[in-house]
Amino acid sequence: MTDRTPTTNHRPPARTNPFSGLIPVLRKEAIHISRDRMALFFTVIMPMLQMFMIGFAINTNVRRIPTAVYDAAQTQESRRLLDRFVNSDDFKIVKYVFSEEELNREVIAGRARVGVKIPPDYSRRLLAGQTASYLVLVDGSDSSVAGSAVNVSNAIALRESLERSLSVTSSRQTLPVEARPKVLFNPDSKSANFLIPGMIAVLMQMMTVLMTAITIVRERERGTLDQLYMTPVKPLGLMVGKIVPYAVVAYVEVLILLFFMRWAFGVPIRGSIGLLMLLIAPFILTMLGIGLLVSTRAQTYQEATQMAFGTMMPSIFLSGYIFPIDTMPVQFQVISSFIPTTYLIQIFRGVILRGAELQDLWQQGLILTAMSIVMIVIAALRFRKKAG
């Protein structure tokens, strides 16, 4: 009997290439990225825009603070003191007033961040060898501006005193000129008083735009929005029906945030809540219009989220929320004038911190009303086109 043992093949197994298929996958992903323009924009362009805004628009050195002046002395000595404010790069005199009430109103309205009052006896006290003081009212609702204004006003008084002391031989022990700064609205310089009212405005924008855009885009993805298009409901009626519930939710959210601001962070509300609710209305309509525009452009939930967050960066850096608009270059100040959050922050800080009234904030309300009309009309046209 022959022994038949099976022969085995001892050839080594073929080696598999771990990078097999790499080139096709690379080609596929490159084509996908080039076609997804929205993702490409937010990945490449947005960081460049952020760097551009932070690098050119943001200036932490406070300069050219809007200042109102009440010169009750009207003498050569008082004009000499005011010349130091005029020639200073730290102050920009925007208005001369003729009463203390006008001076206070300019600061309360936010048209001036600093108010300078020179008393009637300023020159008489100087000539008599006594200390002549002047009052500096500082808007404390902006902590960075308040600190700079107090320091520079004291420096101007010291410089004026030194020059007068050197020019006149005298044995006096006190300085001839003294600045008396008075920080209004936020004398303790609490950061919460400065940050939280502006934060509520920024959160309002994010909430309204995201809520509207994402909800409508999700309905489109699920097909429920297309079913509504097939009903007898007109596009304009459909759009208004979509907006009104979100506006109600936005108002409820504002009241909740104001409650926590007052009782959790201790930020006082010096103005009228009714006036605040009235002036918020056009801002909410503007943001809902922007949300509708985003929903007509975005095809997916991710695109809607990216586009909604794309509106946040200018609203944080160019609206005056953190950095004063007056310190920005002129071109960026123009851009900030087209950002609705700029005016809402002024309204929140005016009503909550300074106790401003309608006569102080009607311009911001009028601008927001015009913006809301424009945005609702544009959104309605786009919405009707999309529905058609």
Side-chain angles (χ1 to χ4, degrees), residues 29-101:
E29 291 302 318
I31 295 173
H32 175 72
I33 292 175
S34 63
R35 290 177 177 176
D36 192 354
R37 297 180 180 179
M38 188 63 63
L40 190 64
F41 174 82
F42 281 97
T43 303
V44 179
I45 305 300
M46 282 302 294
M48 295 173 57
L49 292 177
Q50 294 173 16
M51 184 180 68
F52 183 78
M53 283 191 296
I54 295 174
F56 288 98
I58 305 307
N59 186 0
T60 56
N61 298 319
V62 180
R63 293 289 184 270
R64 301 180 66 80
I65 304 172
T67 304
V69 171
Y70 171 39
D71 184 5
Q74 295 291 330
T75 60
Q76 181 179 354
E77 288 78 11
S78 66
R79 286 191 290 270
R80 172 177 168 173
L81 177 64
L82 291 178
D83 285 340
R84 294 193 177 276
F85 283 89
V86 172
N87 298 328
S88 171
D89 189 42
D90 298 276
F91 296 96
K92 177 185 177 183
I93 297 180
V94 294
K95 190 173 184 179
Y96 290 88
V97 299
F98 302 98
S99 68
E100 192 169 355
E101 291 75 16

Side-chain angles (χ1 to χ4, degrees), residues 97-153:
V97 299
F98 302 98
S99 68
E100 192 169 355
E101 291 75 16
E102 288 185 75
L103 186 67
N104 292 330
R105 178 54 55 189
E106 291 298 313
V107 179
I108 291 174
R111 292 186 289 267
R113 300 292 184 90
V114 174
V116 178
K117 178 192 175 183
I118 302 178
D121 61 347
Y122 177 80
S123 298
R124 179 181 61 79
R125 294 182 67 87
L126 275 179
L127 298 176
Q130 301 173 338
T131 299
S133 61
Y134 62 93
L135 180 65
V136 181
L137 302 177
V138 180
D139 180 5
S141 62
D142 192 331
S143 303
S144 58
V145 173
S148 178
V150 170
N151 293 333
V152 176
S153 62

Side-chain angles (χ1 to χ4, degrees), residues 34-281:
S34 63
R35 290 177 177 176
D36 192 354
R37 297 180 180 179
M38 188 63 63
L40 190 64
F41 174 82
F42 281 97
T43 303
V44 179
I45 305 300
M46 282 302 294
M48 295 173 57
L49 292 177
Q50 294 173 16
M51 184 180 68
F52 183 78
M53 283 191 296
I54 295 174
F56 288 98
I58 305 307
N59 186 0
T60 56
N61 298 319
V62 180
R63 293 289 184 270
R64 301 180 66 80
I65 304 172
T67 304
V69 171
Y70 171 39
D71 184 5
Q74 295 291 330
T75 60
Q76 181 179 354
E77 288 78 11
S78 66
R79 286 191 290 270
R80 172 177 168 173
L81 177 64
L82 291 178
D83 285 340
R84 294 193 177 276
F85 283 89
V86 172
N87 298 328
S88 171
D89 189 42
D90 298 276
F91 296 96
K92 177 185 177 183
I93 297 180
V94 294
K95 190 173 184 179
Y96 290 88
V97 299
F98 302 98
S99 68
E100 192 169 355
E101 291 75 16
E102 288 185 75
L103 186 67
N104 292 330
R105 178 54 55 189
E106 291 298 313
V107 179
I108 291 174
R111 292 186 289 267
R113 300 292 184 90
V114 174
V116 178
K117 178 192 175 183
I118 302 178
D121 61 347
Y122 177 80
S123 298
R124 179 181 61 79
R125 294 182 67 87
L126 275 179
L127 298 176
Q130 301 173 338
T131 299
S133 61
Y134 62 93
L135 180 65
V136 181
L137 302 177
V138 180
D139 180 5
S141 62
D142 192 331
S143 303
S144 58
V145 173
S148 178
V150 170
N151 293 333
V152 176
S153 62
N154 287 329
I156 288 177
L158 180 60
R159 193 178 302 118
E160 179 72 8
S161 295
L162 291 176
E163 289 191 9
R164 287 188 174 277
S165 298
L166 293 175
S167 62
V168 178
T169 303
S170 174
S171 59
R172 61 183 300 164
Q173 300 296 321
T174 59
L175 294 175
V177 180
E178 179 186 22
R180 293 186 177 179
K182 181 180 180 181
V183 179
L184 305 175
F185 318 126
N186 187 17
D188 298 330
S189 298
K190 292 176 59 177
S191 59
N193 291 15
F194 166 64
L195 290 174
I196 293 182
M199 183 186 299
I200 294 177
V202 174
L203 292 175
M204 283 294 299
Q205 172 182 340
M206 180 177 65
M207 181 192 67
T208 49
V209 174
L210 271 175
M211 182 173 56
T212 310
I214 291 176
T215 304
I216 295 178
V217 169
R218 275 182 170 174
E219 287 190 14
R220 183 183 297 115
E221 288 181 337
R222 295 168 182 170
T224 57
L225 194 62
D226 294 331
Q227 294 175 6
L228 285 175
Y229 291 153
M230 304 301 293
T231 64
V233 179
K234 298 296 183 182
L236 186 59
L238 178 60
M239 186 194 72
V240 175
K242 289 288 184 184
I243 283 180
V244 172
Y246 299 139
V248 174
V249 173
Y251 264 112
V252 173
E253 184 69 20
V254 169
L255 293 174
I256 294 174
L257 292 175
L258 289 176
F259 175 82
F260 280 103
M261 178 196 73
R262 177 66 185 91
W263 301 109
F265 297 96
V267 179
I269 301 177
R270 295 188 170 91
S272 169
I273 295 294
L275 176 61
L276 189 61
M277 295 297 104
L278 175 65
L279 296 175
I280 284 176

